[in-house]
């Protein structure tokens, strides 16, 4: 089956291949009239043009979100917001083929994987729906003389600016919009310029579900032209950001003007520790998938592999076999296990890391190159790559690659493995592979990472918090803690006598 754009957007208000963006419940062009292309990473061909917005468009979207925040939406009851989120979840289920197809076309993810995300994404929406009716404050016994009653309320923080990357457009949009709606905030979402189509489709579903005008706005544009004005905007109360650590740092600086609150889900360089007693049959594919899923374009990609010396050579050889057996191709091909990288720029970046690995002395066990045979020549394809003989000091062992590349290194003692695993500015995730339950907990407690997976990887659930330590950011997504990012605590005092 060949997937086409029309199949993914049959219900979308389209004019040829140009798209509009969604502000205050209406489909609009950029004030400047400028547009920008979004490309199919499997073929390099243009999929559509979207508005290339700037500060003036961000102003309009933020003003709409502010009006909506102070309007009737503010009086919606938690139960009404809950029903709205449940309707959105139902619509996502009905239109999942369009949503997943749009993700695949725009950022290259294999269709089988986009489709498989349905339960997780609709589950997220239903989880936030459930939380909408759990917002509570406290009554607090105070010690003032006389009779005073004091209590707290948890109130929506206000207008949220959400800036997301391209590697999981549907899930990233829902992780921002879901808690905003559950808490009664309003939101301006700025998708990545590399994959803006699904968030626009989501805006359409929001309107169909009955989200009031201005509550959810989607503004397309580049990071510098649209993202930065949103991060700086004095009318935005909170920025929720997912993306690279460097951009996260500029968002913090931009937030200083009005001291807006910020939460950040940033990059990673996640270590995997494989002990000699691990079940190798199960561990090889789990480690492989941790590094190669989504072509390694996942913040949690397991990219530093520490293997106990006694099994190192066998493990690396088996991982190389696993990598070579993966089918690389267009995301829309049902046989594809590994799709293209999102853009020519990303391809160039990843190939630069492959070159640096070789020139700094690492040994290529599998892959190590761009794929250009047949149809692959037109797209951004890289072979799943295993490097061995890697030193901790090498560029490929230190920097986030965001491509299908894993670097293997032997270790001798657990203390050494922990020390080397933690020797990174990042702290997003880690993996431990062992049959010894005591060792598993011991390692999990000592690793500096927001999430540690044992004998598994990528397990995510809306009820379970996710977020980084160190330069992987702060704030949690998922779990009941997630709502704290969108709420402020207000204290009320009453004099009773
Ligand atoms: P990026 O930082 O380049 O871009 C992310 C978003 O920020 C895009 O929408 C972009 O337009 C915008 N942006 C860029 N510059 C900006 C600026 N100066 N001000 C405001 N907005 C700006 O990241 P990317 O290349 O799109 O995504 C890859 C990165 O995202 C990786 O580092 C990856 O680890 C990280 N990521 C983290 C998580 C997580 O949950 N921790 C999840 C996915 C991706």
């Amino acid at each position: 089956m060949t997937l086409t754009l029309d199949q993914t957007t049959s219900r979308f208000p389209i004019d040829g291949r140009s798209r509009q963006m969604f502000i205050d419940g209406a489909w609009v062009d950029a004030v400047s009239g400028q547009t920008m292309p979004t490309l199919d990473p499997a073929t390099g061909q243009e999929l559509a043009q979207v508005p290339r917005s700037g500060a003036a468009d961000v102003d309009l979207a933020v003003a709409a979100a502010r009006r909506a925040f102070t309007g009737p939406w503010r009086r919606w009851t938690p139960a009404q917001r809950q029903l709205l989120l449940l309707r959105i979840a139902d619509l996502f289920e009905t239109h999942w083929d369009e949503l997943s197809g749009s993700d695949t076309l725009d950022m290259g993810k294999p269709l089988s994987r986009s489709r498989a995300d349905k339960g997780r994404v609709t589950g997220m929406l239903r989880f936030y729906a459930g939380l909408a009716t759990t917002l509570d404050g406290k009554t607090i016994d105070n010690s003032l003389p006389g009779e005073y009653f004091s209590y707290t309320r948890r109130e929506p923080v206000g207008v949220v600016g959400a800036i997301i990357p391209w590697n999981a457009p549907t899930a990233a949009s829902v992780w921002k919009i879901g808690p905003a709606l559950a808490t009664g905030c309003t939101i301006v979402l700025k998708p990545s310029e590399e994959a803006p189509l699904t968030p626009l489709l989501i805006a359409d579903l929001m309107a169909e579900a009955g989200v009031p005008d201005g509550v959810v706005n989607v503004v397309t544009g580049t990071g510098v032209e649209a993202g930065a004005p949103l991060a700086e905007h004095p009318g935005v109360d909170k920025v929720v950001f997912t993306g690279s650590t460097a951009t996260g740092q500029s968002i913090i600086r931009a937030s200083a003007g009005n001291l807006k609150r910020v939460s950040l889900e940033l990059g990673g360089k996640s270590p995997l520790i494989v002990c000699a007693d691990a079940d190798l049959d199960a561990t090889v594919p789990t480690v492989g998938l941790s590094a190669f899923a989504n072509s390694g374009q996942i913040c949690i990609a397991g990219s530093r592999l520490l293997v106990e010396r006694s099994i190192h050579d066998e493990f690396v050889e088996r991982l190389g076999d696993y990598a070579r057996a993966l089918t690389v191709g267009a995301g829309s091909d049902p046989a594809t296990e590994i799709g293209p990288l999102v853009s020519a720029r990303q391809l160039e970046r990843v190939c630069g890391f492959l070159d640096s690995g070789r020139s700094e002395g690492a040994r290529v066990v599998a892959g190590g190159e761009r794929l250009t045979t047949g149809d692959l020549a037109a797209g951004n394809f890289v072979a799943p790559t295993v490097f061995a003989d890697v030193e901790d000091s090498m560029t490929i062992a230190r920097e986030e690659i965001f491509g299908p590349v894993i670097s293997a290194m032997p270790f001798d003692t657990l203390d050494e493995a922990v020390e080397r695993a933690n020797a990174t500015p990042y702290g997003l995730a880690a993996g431990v592979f062992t049959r010894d339950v005591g060792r598993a907990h011991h390692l999990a407690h000592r690793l500096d990472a927001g999430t540690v997976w044992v004998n598994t990887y990528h397990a995510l659930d809306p009820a379970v918090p996710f977020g980084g330590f160190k330069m992987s950011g702060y704030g949690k997504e998922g779990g009941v803690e997630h709502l704290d990012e969108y709420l402020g605590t207000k204290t009320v005092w009453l004099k009773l006598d």
Side-chain angles (χ1 to χ4, degrees), residues 95-365:
H95 295 286
W96 190 252
D97 281 355
E98 291 157 78
L99 290 163
S100 54
S102 173
D103 269 5
T104 289
L105 276 175
D106 214 8
M107 53 72 63
K109 184 174 178 170
L111 195 54
S112 55
R113 297 197 71 83
S114 307
R115 292 211 165 131
D117 278 350
K118 180 175 175 177
R120 186 164 73 87
V121 173
T122 53
M124 282 153 68
L125 287 162
R126 293 186 174 120
F127 175 71
Y128 297 123
L131 288 185
T133 53
T134 67
L135 307 185
D136 54 1
K138 289 184 198 167
T139 60
I140 303 163
D141 245 359
N142 61 74
S143 306
L144 292 191
E147 262 200 285
Y148 290 88
F149 174 47
S150 48
Y151 66 95
T152 59
R153 289 169 48 75
R154 290 165 84 217
E155 297 190 349
V157 72
V159 175
V160 174
I163 302 175
I164 58 169
W166 40 264
N167 62 338
T170 305
S173 301
V174 167
W175 267 27
K176 312 301 186 206
I177 294 172
L181 296 182
T183 52
C185 291
T186 59
I187 187 164
V188 178
L189 177 75
K190 208 297 281 173
S192 167
E193 52 273 48
E194 305 286 5
L197 294 182
T198 316
L200 292 173
L201 189 52
I202 288 173
D204 196 37
L205 296 180
M206 295 289 153
E208 182 171 338
V211 173
D213 293 352
V215 169
V216 174
N217 308 274
V218 178
V219 174
T220 53
T222 68
V224 170
E225 292 169 356
L230 186 60
E232 273 166 24
H233 205 289
V236 172
D237 301 296
K238 159 96 192 191
V239 170
V240 288
F241 172 73
T242 302
S244 64
T245 294
T247 308
Q249 289 170 316
S250 73
I251 297 235
I252 295 173
R253 287 189 287 271
S255 70
N258 67 335
L259 293 183
K260 58 174 68 68
R261 286 168 52 180
V262 173
S263 46
L264 303 168
E265 295 289 345
L266 306 178
K269 189 72 189 170
S270 299
L272 309 171
I273 298 178
V274 179
C275 300
D277 69 344
D279 172 352
L280 294 199
D281 288 343
T283 303
V284 169
T286 306
V287 164
L289 210 57
S290 84
F292 305 137
N294 218 22
S295 301
Q297 303 169 114
I298 309 189
C299 50
I300 51 182
S303 53
R304 284 190 299 143
L305 174 63
L306 291 151
V307 187
E308 199 159 350
R309 193 175 297 276
S310 60
I311 58 158
H312 174 270
D313 292 354
E314 181 194 348
F315 192 87
V316 167
E317 198 178 312
R318 289 177 64 170
L319 189 61
D321 292 343
Y322 174 86
R324 277 185 292 272
L326 291 168
T327 306
V328 180
S332 53
D333 182 339
T336 292
E337 292 170 289
I338 305 293
L341 298 173
V342 73
S343 64
R345 191 167 65 94
Q346 187 67 7
L347 174 69
E348 193 185 339
R349 205 173 153 268
V350 171
C351 288
F353 281 111
L354 298 178
D355 291 344
S356 87
R358 268 189 297 264
S359 66
E360 291 177 27
R363 173 168 59 90
V364 176
V365 178

Side-chain angles (χ1 to χ4, degrees), residues 402-491:
F402 232 55
V405 183
I406 188 164
S407 298
M409 297 163 268
F411 71 85
D412 293 301
T413 69
L414 286 186
D415 283 347
E416 175 208 335
V418 169
E419 194 182 320
R420 290 170 63 195
N422 288 341
T424 167
Y426 295 111
L428 191 56
V432 170
F433 298 86
T434 175
R435 288 191 234 228
D436 181 325
V437 73
R439 183 181 300 151
H441 286 292
H442 172 77
L443 289 172
H445 294 190
R446 289 183 63 195
L447 287 166
D448 296 337
T451 298
V452 180
W453 284 288
V454 179
N455 295 334
T456 184
Y457 210 78
H458 291 144
L460 291 169
D461 184 280
V464 181
F466 173 83
F469 290 176
K470 303 194 316 195
M471 288 183 79
S472 294
Y474 42 75
K476 292 290 178 194
E477 295 200 313
V480 290
E481 293 92 328
H482 196 169
L483 293 194
D484 295 340
E485 308 292 337
Y486 292 74
L487 293 167
T489 298
K490 176 185 280 179
T491 303

